[in-house]
Amino acid sequence: MNRTAESVWDNCLAFIEDNISSQAYKTWFEPIKAVKLADNALSIQVPSKFFYEWLEEHYVKILKVALTKELGATAKLVYIIRMENTYGNKLPFTEKIPSSNRSNMQLQEVDVPVKNKSPELKNPFVIPGIRNVKIESQLNPNYNFENFLEGDSNRLARSAGLAVANKPGGTSFNPLLIFGGVGLGKTHLGHAIGVDIKDKYPEKTVLYISAEKFTQQYIESVRKNNRNDFIHFYQIIDVLIVDDIQLFSGKAGTQDVFFHVFNHLHQNGKQVILTSDKAPVDMIDIEQRLLSRFKWGLSAELNHPDYDTRVAIIENKLYRDGVEMPGEIVEFLANNIKTNIRELEGAIISLIAHSSFNKKEITIDLARKIVENYVKHTKREVSIDYIQKVVSDYFQMDVDTLQSKTRKRHIVQARQLAMFFAKKYTKASLASIGSQIGQRDHATVLHACKTVNNLSTTDKQFRKYVEDLNKKLTL
Ligand code: ADP
Ligand code: MG
């Protein structure tokens, strides 16, 4: 039989079209092109990484059924992602990503680009002659400098990272410690430095490792009685990137072993890059001798991105995903998600998904909904008034009743809950909480907090109130 990729794909399409809504078909299947059929594997080209993820998430079953009908049980599917590369004026490039290997599906990976796989660090100690072992760097090539956009919030860290990448071990930024809050790019920047070094100095041994994994490996080495091998392994690395070192906190053994590794690398002019969610001065339960070493080089902070940087990050992400979005929506997102780039990206993905799936235009209203629903941790200032309103609504009374002098049990409880949450979610003093919730004094508020704590451990129904209200207040 002489079958082409197109003919196989056309048959698949006919089947799929019969089985899903015409809108979904138009959105997700018409843009696909079949490009190759070899070894019973059909390669299809999709317009963006987002597109590929969406297909995998929602249509992998029907794809499997369709393809199996055409090519039999050994059928495989390969995605080819075609996208324009934005930054750096490169030619468009093509990226291949294997179809995911879910248990109940036969779609299989072929042609897996090894560097995208980021395999687990194999236990390096079972192989004798460790110096000959090729060490996988564990770097994620998608986290590079090109797509790490520069702004005031990250300029120092980013330039220091570039300087280190140009001359690993050869600058005074050793160690380079990158610190900052959640979702601000520490992991991305750590990888970017490693990726750039690998690019410029392919012969150098670069290793990215999370502090958590380092700790696990260490514990394992102790269990297997080869702690020295563990240390030796780390001592042969040229560029060591350890992510989230705040996780070493309180782990004396790991800190000790890391201390030895660090000293060895540093003395030998090897580069160490560390990330942490705190500045060295704020780290707790980390030995002094280690802390002082963290401060030897440069500590560079990643701050919250300013408005312009947020806009640039959104636009870059949209461009890379091949999606267009009206300027006012981009502005809306940039104005409303300020403290976490990961959440910003999450909101964009969610927005694109909603709009493509429902074939709706991306509107401000949709954006508003997504920002409200999707971004759970956007910090909204909870006021005492708001708390009183939520609590009284919940118990179907009005705020005046909640504040009244009555001693009726359910009203007293509601009032105590309001006080408890005011203490929990605002910075107001006990006295100020008391005066705002029915003119009580600080001792009453203190008593209320204790009562709520007691009742929620002893009374199931009451605990449910606390949980429900907690949800409403943090939504
Ligand atoms: P952290 O490790 O600090 O929690 P990550 O490095 O995981 O944060 O970053 C969260 C997300 O934000 C990642 O998807 C990352 O690519 C993106 N990101 C962070 N900083 C930037 C930046 N300056 N430009 C583009 N994307 C960024
Ligand atoms: Mg991280």
Side-chain angles (χ1 to χ4, degrees), residues 179-433:
F179 69 97
V182 187
L184 293 182
K186 301 181 294 292
T187 299
H188 186 142
L189 187 52
H191 278 281
I193 298 169
V195 168
D196 205 30
I197 293 176
K198 262 322 239 186
D199 215 32
K200 291 184 171 123
Y201 304 93
E203 77 289 353
K204 282 204 192 293
T205 308
V206 179
L207 182 71
Y208 166 91
I209 182 123
S210 67
E212 193 186 3
K213 198 148 172 202
F214 183 91
T215 307
Q216 285 166 7
Q217 288 183 349
Y218 167 69
I219 293 170
E220 183 77 347
S221 80
V222 172
R223 202 173 60 77
K224 292 201 174 138
N225 217 358
N226 55 13
R227 181 175 181 274
N228 282 340
D229 291 345
F230 174 83
I231 296 178
H232 286 143
F233 171 75
Y234 276 92
Q235 287 178 341
I236 61 166
I237 307 254
D238 295 317
V239 177
L240 179 62
I241 306 161
V242 188
D243 202 0
D244 287 324
I245 51 161
Q246 77 277 359
L247 297 176
F248 285 160
S249 152
K251 296 174 180 135
T254 312
Q255 286 181 35
D256 185 55
V257 90
F258 185 69
F259 179 76
H260 291 297
V261 169
F262 180 95
N263 284 343
H264 183 93
L265 294 180
H266 198 271
Q267 277 159 18
N268 289 286
K270 305 299 171 70
Q271 179 72 45
V272 179
I273 296 144
L274 308 167
T275 82
S276 164
D277 69 355
K278 302 180 186 60
V281 285
D282 298 322
M283 288 183 199
I284 23 181
D285 283 333
I286 303 260
E287 281 179 57
Q288 203 48 48
R289 56 178 186 164
L290 208 46
L291 274 186
S292 81
R293 274 162 180 76
F294 292 168
K295 296 181 206 156
W296 276 356
L298 174 74
S299 302
E301 182 167 11
L302 290 176
N303 292 297
H304 294 164
D306 55 34
Y307 177 78
D308 291 342
T309 312
R310 297 199 294 276
V311 169
I313 289 173
I314 298 173
E315 285 177 342
N316 178 36
K317 169 114 188 97
L318 293 174
Y319 192 101
R320 280 186 292 134
D321 283 339
V323 175
E324 287 191 7
M325 207 180 270
E328 56 165 359
I329 312 259
V330 173
E331 282 164 28
F332 176 82
L333 292 175
N335 269 320
N336 283 279
I337 305 174
K338 299 180 178 167
T339 57
N340 185 326
I341 298 170
R342 190 176 298 123
E343 286 182 352
L344 197 55
E345 291 185 338
I348 300 167
I349 290 174
S350 188
L351 194 53
I352 301 171
H354 275 77
S355 92
S356 339
F357 192 61
N358 301 320
K359 263 284 170 192
K360 271 193 201 147
E361 262 189 64
I362 300 183
T363 61
I364 280 279
D365 264 356
L366 186 59
R368 190 167 286 130
K369 267 197 206 121
I370 303 269
V371 168
E372 273 169 15
N373 295 335
Y374 183 84
V375 184
K376 296 189 196 73
H377 307 293
T378 325
K379 285 238 165 55
R380 178 157 19 100
E381 197 51 52
V382 182
S383 68
I384 295 180
D385 281 347
Y386 180 71
I387 291 170
Q388 296 189 77
K389 170 125 189 21
V390 170
V391 174
S392 39
D393 280 356
Y394 180 75
F395 291 109
Q396 295 170 358
M397 58 179 77
D398 47 43
V399 176
D400 286 344
T401 313
L402 181 127
Q403 294 186 343
S404 67
K405 301 281 170 206
T406 175
R407 292 184 170 278
K408 279 192 192 130
R409 192 176 127 90
H410 75 284
I411 299 176
V412 173
Q413 276 194 351
R415 192 159 56 230
Q416 289 178 327
L417 280 162
M419 291 175 173
F420 168 84
F421 283 112
K423 182 72 196 132
K424 182 165 178 191
Y425 287 123
T426 74
K427 294 200 179 74
S429 66
L430 293 171
S432 149
I433 293 171

